[in-house]
Amino acid sequence: QVQLVESGGGAVQAGGSLSLSCATSERTFGTHAMGWFRQAPGKEREFVAAINGNGINTYYKESVEGRFTISRDNAKSTVYLQMNSLKPEDTAVYYCTLGPITKVVSGDTDYWGQGTQVTVSS
């Protein structure tokens, strides 16, 4: 069973930064795309960013492009999300996921972490 464990959430003021991490037990980590999704209260879960297995190709939700950066360290089986210039509308629980890139981008995957809360105050 693949396990994904997110960390790094917290509370910051608008304009601040946070860095999220997602570590996995998956031994073939480097062959899988990874992604980040978020879910705000009362809203559906939405795609934030994804990265392919070798880290060359990245994909972003339009509203976070230029502010968020997804990266990965295959030696550590970990994916990161650096979030800068945070806005109150970025407040949500952030989840990481793993799978084929098309499924990661669409959110149609079998493996999800437990989520980490990000709160941005104005």
Side-chain angles (χ1 to χ4, degrees):
Q1 181 70 18
V2 175
Q3 291 187 329
L4 300 168
V5 180
E6 300 99 337
S7 61
V12 295
Q13 291 189 327
S17 299
L18 282 173
S19 181
L20 306 183
S21 300
C22 173
T24 176
S25 59
E26 174 55 42
R27 291 178 295 174
T28 59
F29 177 79
T31 66
H32 298 285
M34 298 293 298
W36 288 95
F37 278 70
R38 67 187 182 187
Q39 187 167 22
K43 295 186 177 181
E44 293 189 354
R45 187 167 56 190
E46 64 177 7
F47 169 78
V48 175
I51 186 167
N52 69 342
N54 59 19
I56 291 178
N57 298 112
T58 57
Y59 309 85
Y60 295 95
K61 176 181 174 63
E62 186 175 352
S63 64
V64 308
E65 195 152 16
R67 300 189 296 122
F68 291 10
T69 302
I70 188 170
S71 61
R72 63 190 296 157
D73 185 337
N74 287 350
K76 296 181 178 180
S77 298
T78 300
V79 64
Y80 306 96
L81 186 68
Q82 177 65 40
M83 305 184 294
N84 299 327
S85 302
L86 282 161
K87 303 177 181 180
E89 52 263 43
D90 295 319
T91 295
V93 177
Y94 283 69
Y95 300 89
C96 67
T97 187
L98 170 154
I101 187 62
T102 54
K103 289 185 175 291
V104 165
V105 172
S106 67
D108 182 23
T109 58
D110 295 326
Y111 305 109
W112 294 87
Q114 83 289 350
T116 186
Q117 176 71 46
V118 171
T119 303
V120 185
S121 59
S122 57

Coordinates of all heavy atoms in Angstrom, one line a residue, residues 55-97:
G55 N 10.9 15.0 -13.4 CA 10.9 16.4 -13.0 C 11.1 17.5 -14.0 O 11.2 18.7 -13.7
I56 N 11.0 17.1 -15.3 CA 11.3 18.0 -16.4 C 10.0 18.8 -16.7 O 10.1 20.0 -17.0 CB 11.7 17.3 -17.6 CG1 13.1 16.7 -17.4 CG2 11.7 18.2 -18.9 CD1 13.7 15.9 -18.6
N57 N 8.9 18.2 -16.7 CA 7.6 18.9 -17.0 C 6.8 19.2 -15.8 O 6.6 18.3 -15.0 CB 6.8 18.0 -18.0 CG 7.6 17.8 -19.3 OD1 8.0 16.6 -19.5 ND2 7.8 18.8 -20.1
T58 N 6.3 20.4 -15.7 CA 5.5 20.9 -14.6 C 4.2 21.5 -15.2 O 4.2 22.0 -16.3 CB 6.2 21.8 -13.7 OG1 6.6 23.0 -14.5 CG2 7.4 21.2 -13.0
Y59 N 3.2 21.5 -14.4 CA 1.9 22.0 -14.8 C 1.3 22.7 -13.6 O 1.4 22.2 -12.4 CB 0.9 20.8 -15.2 CG 1.6 19.9 -16.2 CD1 2.4 18.8 -15.7 CD2 1.4 20.0 -17.5 CE1 3.0 18.0 -16.6 CE2 2.0 19.2 -18.4 CZ 2.8 18.2 -18.0 OH 3.4 17.3 -18.9
Y60 N 0.6 23.8 -13.8 CA 0.1 24.6 -12.7 C -1.3 25.1 -13.0 O -1.7 25.4 -14.2 CB 0.9 25.9 -12.5 CG 2.3 25.6 -12.0 CD1 3.4 25.4 -12.9 CD2 2.6 25.4 -10.7 CE1 4.7 25.2 -12.5 CE2 3.9 25.1 -10.2 CZ 4.9 25.0 -11.1 OH 6.2 24.7 -10.7
K61 N -2.1 25.3 -12.0 CA -3.4 26.0 -12.0 C -3.0 27.4 -12.4 O -2.0 28.0 -11.8 CB -4.1 25.9 -10.7 CG -5.4 26.7 -10.5 CD -5.9 26.6 -9.2 CE -7.2 27.5 -9.0 NZ -8.2 27.1 -9.9
E62 N -3.8 28.0 -13.2 CA -3.5 29.4 -13.7 C -3.3 30.4 -12.6 O -2.4 31.2 -12.6 CB -4.5 29.9 -14.7 CG -4.2 31.2 -15.4 CD -5.2 31.6 -16.4 OE1 -6.1 30.8 -16.7 OE2 -5.1 32.7 -16.9
S63 N -4.1 30.3 -11.6 CA -4.0 31.3 -10.5 C -2.8 31.2 -9.6 O -2.6 32.1 -8.8 CB -5.3 31.3 -9.7 OG -5.4 30.0 -9.0
V64 N -2.1 30.1 -9.7 CA -0.9 29.9 -8.8 C 0.4 30.0 -9.6 O 1.5 30.1 -9.0 CB -0.9 28.6 -8.0 CG1 -2.2 28.5 -7.3 CG2 -0.7 27.4 -8.9
E65 N 0.3 30.0 -11.0 CA 1.5 30.0 -11.8 C 2.3 31.3 -11.5 O 1.7 32.4 -11.5 CB 1.1 29.9 -13.3 CG 2.3 29.6 -14.1 CD 1.9 28.8 -15.4 OE1 0.8 28.8 -15.7 OE2 2.8 28.3 -16.0
G66 N 3.6 31.2 -11.3 CA 4.4 32.3 -11.0 C 4.6 32.6 -9.5 O 5.5 33.3 -9.1
R67 N 3.7 32.0 -8.7 CA 3.8 32.1 -7.3 C 4.2 30.8 -6.6 O 4.9 30.8 -5.6 CB 2.4 32.6 -6.7 CG 1.9 33.9 -7.2 CD 0.7 34.4 -6.4 NE -0.4 33.5 -6.6 CZ -1.1 32.9 -5.6 NH1 -0.7 33.1 -4.3 NH2 -2.1 32.1 -5.8
F68 N 3.7 29.7 -7.2 CA 4.0 28.4 -6.6 C 5.0 27.6 -7.5 O 5.0 27.8 -8.7 CB 2.7 27.5 -6.5 CG 1.7 28.0 -5.5 CD1 1.8 29.2 -4.9 CD2 0.6 27.2 -5.2 CE1 0.9 29.6 -3.9 CE2 -0.3 27.5 -4.3 CZ -0.2 28.8 -3.7
T69 N 5.8 26.8 -6.9 CA 6.8 26.0 -7.7 C 6.7 24.6 -7.1 O 6.9 24.4 -5.9 CB 8.2 26.5 -7.5 OG1 8.2 27.9 -8.0 CG2 9.1 25.7 -8.4
I70 N 6.5 23.6 -8.0 CA 6.5 22.2 -7.6 C 7.9 21.6 -8.1 O 8.4 22.0 -9.1 CB 5.4 21.4 -8.3 CG1 5.3 20.0 -7.7 CG2 5.5 21.4 -9.8 CD1 4.0 19.2 -8.2
S71 N 8.4 20.8 -7.2 CA 9.7 20.2 -7.5 C 9.7 18.8 -6.8 O 8.8 18.5 -6.0 CB 10.9 21.0 -7.0 OG 10.8 21.2 -5.6
R72 N 10.7 18.0 -7.1 CA 10.8 16.7 -6.5 C 12.2 16.3 -6.4 O 13.1 16.7 -7.1 CB 10.1 15.7 -7.4 CG 10.6 15.5 -8.8 CD 9.7 14.6 -9.6 NE 9.5 13.3 -9.1 CZ 8.5 12.5 -9.4 NH1 7.5 12.9 -10.1 NH2 8.4 11.3 -8.9
D73 N 12.5 15.4 -5.4 CA 13.8 14.8 -5.1 C 13.6 13.3 -5.2 O 13.1 12.7 -4.2 CB 14.3 15.3 -3.8 CG 15.7 14.8 -3.5 OD1 16.1 13.7 -4.1 OD2 16.4 15.4 -2.7
N74 N 13.9 12.7 -6.3 CA 13.6 11.2 -6.4 C 14.5 10.4 -5.5 O 14.0 9.3 -5.1 CB 13.8 10.8 -7.9 CG 12.7 11.3 -8.7 OD1 11.7 11.8 -8.3 ND2 12.9 11.2 -10.1
A75 N 15.6 10.9 -5.1 CA 16.4 10.2 -4.1 C 15.8 10.1 -2.7 O 16.0 9.2 -2.0 CB 17.8 10.8 -4.0
K76 N 15.0 11.1 -2.5 CA 14.3 11.1 -1.2 C 12.8 10.8 -1.3 O 12.1 10.8 -0.3 CB 14.4 12.5 -0.6 CG 15.8 12.9 -0.2 CD 15.9 14.3 0.4 CE 17.3 14.7 0.8 NZ 17.4 16.1 1.4
S77 N 12.4 10.4 -2.5 CA 11.0 10.1 -2.7 C 10.0 11.1 -2.1 O 9.0 10.8 -1.5 CB 10.6 8.7 -2.1 OG 11.4 7.7 -2.7
T78 N 10.4 12.4 -2.4 CA 9.6 13.5 -1.9 C 9.3 14.5 -3.0 O 10.1 14.8 -3.8 CB 10.4 14.1 -0.8 OG1 10.7 13.2 0.3 CG2 9.7 15.3 -0.2
V79 N 8.1 15.1 -2.9 CA 7.7 16.1 -3.8 C 7.5 17.4 -2.9 O 7.0 17.3 -1.8 CB 6.5 15.8 -4.6 CG1 5.3 15.5 -3.7 CG2 6.2 16.8 -5.7
Y80 N 7.7 18.5 -3.5 CA 7.6 19.8 -2.7 C 6.7 20.8 -3.4 O 6.5 20.7 -4.7 CB 9.0 20.4 -2.6 CG 10.1 19.5 -2.0 CD1 10.9 18.8 -2.8 CD2 10.2 19.4 -0.6 CE1 11.9 18.0 -2.2 CE2 11.1 18.5 0.0 CZ 12.0 17.8 -0.9 OH 12.9 17.0 -0.3
L81 N 6.2 21.7 -2.7 CA 5.4 22.8 -3.2 C 5.8 24.1 -2.5 O 5.5 24.2 -1.3 CB 3.9 22.6 -3.1 CG 3.0 23.6 -3.8 CD1 3.2 23.5 -5.3 CD2 1.6 23.5 -3.4
Q82 N 6.6 24.9 -3.2 CA 7.0 26.2 -2.6 C 5.9 27.2 -3.0 O 5.6 27.4 -4.2 CB 8.3 26.6 -3.2 CG 8.8 28.0 -2.7 CD 9.1 28.0 -1.2 OE1 9.6 27.1 -0.6 NE2 8.6 29.1 -0.5
M83 N 5.3 27.8 -2.0 CA 4.3 28.8 -2.2 C 4.7 30.1 -1.7 O 5.0 30.3 -0.5 CB 3.0 28.3 -1.4 CG 2.6 26.9 -1.8 SD 1.0 26.4 -1.0 CE 1.6 26.4 0.7
N84 N 4.8 31.1 -2.7 CA 5.1 32.4 -2.4 C 4.0 33.4 -2.7 O 3.0 33.0 -3.4 CB 6.4 32.8 -3.2 CG 7.6 32.0 -2.9 OD1 7.8 31.5 -1.8 ND2 8.4 31.8 -3.9
S85 N 4.1 34.6 -2.1 CA 3.1 35.6 -2.4 C 1.7 35.0 -2.1 O 0.7 35.2 -2.9 CB 3.2 36.1 -3.8 OG 4.4 36.7 -4.1
L86 N 1.5 34.4 -1.0 CA 0.3 33.7 -0.7 C -0.9 34.7 -0.5 O -0.7 35.9 0.0 CB 0.4 32.9 0.6 CG 1.1 31.6 0.4 CD1 1.7 31.0 1.7 CD2 0.2 30.6 -0.3
K87 N -2.1 34.3 -0.9 CA -3.3 35.1 -0.8 C -4.3 34.4 0.1 O -4.3 33.2 0.2 CB -3.8 35.3 -2.2 CG -2.9 35.9 -3.2 CD -3.5 36.0 -4.6 CE -2.5 36.6 -5.6 NZ -3.1 36.7 -7.0
P88 N -5.2 35.2 0.6 CA -6.3 34.5 1.5 C -7.0 33.4 0.7 O -7.4 32.4 1.3 CB -7.2 35.7 1.8 CG -6.3 36.9 1.9 CD -5.3 36.6 0.7
E89 N -7.2 33.6 -0.6 CA -7.9 32.6 -1.4 C -7.1 31.3 -1.6 O -7.6 30.3 -2.1 CB -8.3 33.1 -2.7 CG -7.2 33.8 -3.5 CD -7.2 35.3 -3.4 OE1 -7.4 35.8 -2.2 OE2 -7.0 36.0 -4.4
D90 N -5.8 31.3 -1.1 CA -5.0 30.0 -1.2 C -5.3 29.2 0.1 O -4.8 28.0 0.2 CB -3.5 30.3 -1.2 CG -3.1 31.0 -2.5 OD1 -3.6 30.6 -3.6 OD2 -2.3 32.0 -2.4
T91 N -6.1 29.7 1.0 CA -6.4 28.9 2.2 C -7.2 27.7 1.8 O -8.2 27.7 1.1 CB -7.3 29.8 3.2 OG1 -6.5 30.9 3.6 CG2 -7.8 29.0 4.3
A92 N -6.7 26.5 2.3 CA -7.3 25.2 2.0 C -6.5 24.1 2.6 O -5.4 24.4 3.2 CB -7.3 25.0 0.5
V93 N -7.0 22.9 2.6 CA -6.3 21.7 2.9 C -5.6 21.3 1.6 O -6.3 21.1 0.6 CB -7.1 20.6 3.5 CG1 -6.3 19.4 3.8 CG2 -7.8 21.1 4.8
Y94 N -4.3 21.1 1.7 CA -3.5 20.7 0.5 C -3.2 19.2 0.6 O -2.7 18.7 1.6 CB -2.2 21.5 0.4 CG -2.5 22.9 -0.1 CD1 -3.2 23.8 0.7 CD2 -2.0 23.3 -1.3 CE1 -3.4 25.1 0.2 CE2 -2.3 24.6 -1.8 CZ -3.0 25.5 -1.0 OH -3.2 26.8 -1.5
Y95 N -3.4 18.5 -0.5 CA -3.2 17.1 -0.6 C -2.2 16.8 -1.7 O -2.2 17.4 -2.8 CB -4.5 16.4 -0.9 CG -5.6 16.5 0.1 CD1 -6.5 17.6 -0.1 CD2 -5.8 15.6 1.1 CE1 -7.5 17.8 0.8 CE2 -6.8 15.8 2.0 CZ -7.7 16.9 1.9 OH -8.7 17.0 2.8
C96 N -1.4 15.7 -1.5 CA -0.6 15.3 -2.6 C -1.1 14.0 -3.1 O -1.8 13.2 -2.4 CB 0.9 15.1 -2.2 SG 1.3 13.8 -1.0
T97 N -0.8 13.7 -4.4 CA -1.2 12.5 -5.0 C -0.2 11.9 -6.0 O 0.7 12.7 -6.4 CB -2.6 12.7 -5.7 OG1 -3.1 11.5 -6.2 CG2 -2.4 13.7 -6.9

